[in-house]
């Protein structure tokens, strides 16, 4: 006999949801993705740091799209932040070796509320 066959019925107070006294602010539900391409201009040691203007400070989702001539990617970090008055994504990519000879790198970014020209600044 499993949980549902046992005939157990939870107490009514265990199944009610809390009553909200204040209205809940809805988030911006515009959600889009963009492919961003850049080169090794900001490479130093085994790292590549870029800032991508997205005009949003929501948490980004980033995945690797293309790796042309760069070494294997060890890991990468994406975080929303403000840089020189612009809102966007600070992307740090760590490689297995120096990325100085890389010809092209691309990531896909998804971030709620992002828009703009998606310019890339080396850091």
């Amino acid at each position: 006999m499993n949980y549902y066959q046992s005939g157990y019925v939870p107490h009514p107070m265990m199944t009610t949801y809390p009553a909200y006294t204040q209205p809940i602010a809805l988030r911006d539900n515009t959600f889009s993705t963009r492919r961003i391409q850049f080169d090794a201009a900001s490479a130093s040691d085994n790292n590549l740091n870029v800032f991508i203007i997205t005009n949003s400070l929501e948490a980004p989702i980033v995945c690797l799209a293309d790796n042309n001539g760069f070494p294997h990617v060890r890991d990468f970090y994406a975080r929303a932040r403000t840089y020189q008055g612009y809102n966007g994504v600070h992307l740090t990519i760590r490689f297995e070796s120096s990325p100085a000879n890389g010809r092209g790198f691309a990531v896909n970014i998804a971030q709620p509320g992002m828009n703009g020209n998606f310019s890339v600044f080396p850091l």
Side-chain angles (χ1 to χ4, degrees):
M1 178 182 304
N2 66 24
Y3 173 81
Y4 296 105
Q5 293 171 337
S6 69
Y8 173 77
V9 177
H11 189 273
M13 292 302 291
M14 295 172 62
T15 60
T16 59
Y17 297 100
Y20 292 101
T21 57
Q22 298 176 353
I24 299 172
L26 298 176
R27 296 182 79 166
D28 180 13
N29 52 354
T30 58
F31 193 81
S32 60
T33 60
R34 179 70 73 157
R35 179 185 170 101
I36 309 293
Q37 299 177 1
F38 45 90
D39 57 14
S42 60
S44 66
D45 296 329
N46 292 353
N47 298 324
L48 181 66
N49 285 299
V50 295
F51 180 79
I52 304 161
I53 296 176
T54 61
N55 295 319
S56 176
L57 285 177
E58 295 290 331
I61 300 171
V62 178
C63 66
L64 176 64
D66 192 15
N67 183 351
N68 184 7
F70 284 90
H72 295 287
V73 174
R74 178 177 295 171
D75 52 23
F76 57 93
Y77 304 95
R79 53 207 170 276
R81 69 176 271 212
T82 301
Y83 176 72
Q84 294 183 355
Y86 295 104
N87 295 333
V89 176
H90 178 188
L91 183 62
T92 300
I93 305 166
R94 293 190 324 165
F95 296 95
E96 293 293 326
S97 60
S98 177
N101 297 328
R103 293 180 297 280
F105 197 86
V107 292
N108 293 324
I109 294 182
Q111 188 181 28
M114 72 178 193
N115 59 32
N117 63 3
F118 305 99
S119 298
V120 178
F121 291 108
L123 296 176

